Structure formats: structure tokens, C-alpha cells
Amino acid sequence: MCRLLFVQNKHEFSISEHLSKFAQIAKNSKEYQGHGWGCSYLANDNWQHYKNIKPIWEDDLEKYGNSNRLLVHARSAFEDKDIVVENNMPFYDNKYIFIFNGELRGVKIKAEGRIGAEKIFNFIKIFDKDGMEKALSKGVEIVESRTSYIRAMNIIIADKEKVYYSSLFNEDEEYFQMHYKLSDDELIICSEVYHEQTGWKIIENKTIGVF
């Protein structure tokens, strides 16, 4: 039951500025989000990755430069288990960056991964033959059909050009509802709206899309 953030802009922005806003969201969440955090961001058209086991609000968030593409994940480990930095997201390969928020029970899929979220990422990629949007749709459909109960399964996957999202939850709408803010230059997708900011819209439940 983690917190997610994606930011893209036509112009470079301060990474630390968004991390600070996101850290406050994580710190003030009704679910504890202190089981580590991580981020991936573009610098000189190359992905840079960072993970730390400490809560995001206790880390140094001022050491980053600028970017035009950022993904951030604050972790709330399922049943407070497997709390090691290797289990922190984002998960990534040489093309895609993946962050996840949710809880599934009785999942019957075959995929590599240390934890459930990584298995879902690798399972979705199996279907990446005609683009990630179709792969995400197919992967989510099959995972849903092979799971006893999905409390929530929110996914953001990004490459250097696009961002793909899936929103799915069956309870606690206030907590699991994702939001986005879109302007001519900038797109922000987040588990919660930034404090004291207007112009946010809801990502509807049970939707899959791409920006």
C-alpha cells in the first residue's frame, strides 16, 4: 500500500522540489510509508536510479539536480515483511521503469521476482510484443482473473517517451484513488494531490491509459 509519483515536463525541473512535496504526502499518509523509498530520473537522456531503506522524509532530498522525467515510490511493505533495499521500487530494465501500489491475495502467475510487485512487472513484460499499452492491458486482465482478491493494483510504467498507467481497486477509494495534473508543459501523476494545489483530476477506477 505504497505511494506513487510520476512527473514529466517539456522543460527541466528541480527534482528536489517534487521529492519534498512527495515526502510530505508519504509522511502524512494514513498508512505507514517508511519502509524505504526509491526514484528513477532522466539525466542527459540516461536513467539514474536511487534507493534507500530509510523513510523518504528522513533522507537528504536536496542532492539532486534537474530532470524532465521522474518516478518515485515510497514503500509500505505488506505485513511489514521483507524490508530490504533490494525490494524497493522502482523496478526497471533497460527500457521500462515500474512502480506499483496495491495488495493482492491468492495470485497464480508464473514470473520471476523477489516480491509480488516485481513478479507482476515481469509478467506484464511477457506480452510486450505490440507495445506496452497492450501489454499492460493484457497483463492486468490475466492477473485479475488469476487472483482470489485484489484490494488494489495501481501501476505506473514509463519509458523515455511515454507513461502507462493502470488503476484498479475494490475498497478504500479515498486511499487508492490516483490523481493527475496536466498542463501544456507538465504532467504529474500521484497517489495524492500536492498540498494546497488545485487543478488535479481523478484517474478513474478500472482504467488503463497512456500519456
Side-chain angles (χ1 to χ4, degrees):
M1 294 82 71
C2 310
R3 300 287 82 183
L4 313 178
L5 172 66
F6 170 82
V7 185
Q8 71 176 19
N9 198 304
K10 292 180 181 178
H11 313 286
E12 289 200 337
F13 54 81
S14 167
I15 295 173
S16 297
E17 182 178 333
H18 285 280
L19 291 182
S20 296
K21 290 182 173 66
F22 184 70
Q24 288 303 115
I25 288 172
K27 186 176 182 179
N28 296 326
S29 173
K30 70 176 185 178
E31 300 263 4
Y32 182 66
Q33 308 293 337
H35 294 135
W37 76 285
C39 67
S40 297
Y41 58 93
L42 279 180
N44 298 317
D45 202 40
N46 292 310
W47 286 108
Q48 306 296 319
H49 309 286
Y50 175 84
K51 297 182 182 184
N52 197 313
I53 199 63
K54 68 171 63 174
I56 183 173
W57 59 87
E58 293 181 3
D59 207 349
D60 176 12
L61 304 180
E62 300 301 321
K63 59 188 176 184
Y64 301 90
N66 297 325
S67 180
N68 60 4
R69 206 164 186 82
L70 169 71
L71 294 95
V72 193
H73 182 274
R75 188 173 184 225
S76 177
F78 179 63
E79 296 182 344
D80 295 340
K81 295 179 179 179
D82 302 318
I83 303 170
V84 293
V85 72
E86 291 83 2
N87 290 340
N88 285 9
M89 286 174 256
F91 295 129
Y92 52 87
D93 58 18
N94 59 4
K95 184 176 181 180
Y96 296 115
I97 315 294
F98 171 94
I99 52 179
F100 170 92
N101 167 36
E103 181 182 323
L104 295 80
R105 295 186 179 273
V107 187
K108 296 179 180 179
I109 60 171
K110 292 183 179 180
E112 296 293 323
R114 293 175 55 96
I115 62 173
E118 188 174 22
K119 292 177 182 179
I120 289 172
F121 178 36
N122 289 328
F123 185 74
I124 289 169
K125 289 191 296 178
I126 293 171
F127 306 102
D128 186 23
K129 299 177 179 64
D130 297 309
M132 178 49 70
E133 186 176 10
K134 290 184 179 179
L136 180 58
S137 180
K138 184 68 172 179
V140 167
E141 178 186 359
I142 295 175
V143 170
E144 188 175 10
S145 70
R146 297 182 184 177
T147 303
S148 298
Y149 180 69
I150 297 177
R151 185 181 179 200
M153 183 170 60
N154 292 330
I155 297 169
I156 297 175
I157 300 176
D159 55 26
K160 292 181 180 180
E161 305 296 330
K162 297 180 180 179
V163 59
Y164 312 86
Y165 65 87
S166 175
S167 175
L168 173 60
F169 54 87
N170 290 306
E171 59 180 85
D172 204 350
E173 177 178 350
E174 182 182 358
Y175 180 72
F176 286 114
Q177 185 89 67
M178 292 200 295
H179 304 77
Y180 74 98
K181 186 176 182 179
L182 180 64
S183 67
D184 290 339
D185 293 333
E186 185 175 60
L187 168 67
I188 307 173
I189 303 173
C190 194
S191 296
E192 300 178 33
V193 303
Y194 285 4
H195 182 59
E196 294 183 345
Q197 279 200 8
T198 59
W200 290 80
K201 296 182 179 180
I202 289 172
I203 293 179
E204 295 295 337
N205 188 18
K206 299 183 179 179
T207 59
I208 293 173
V210 58
F211 285 104

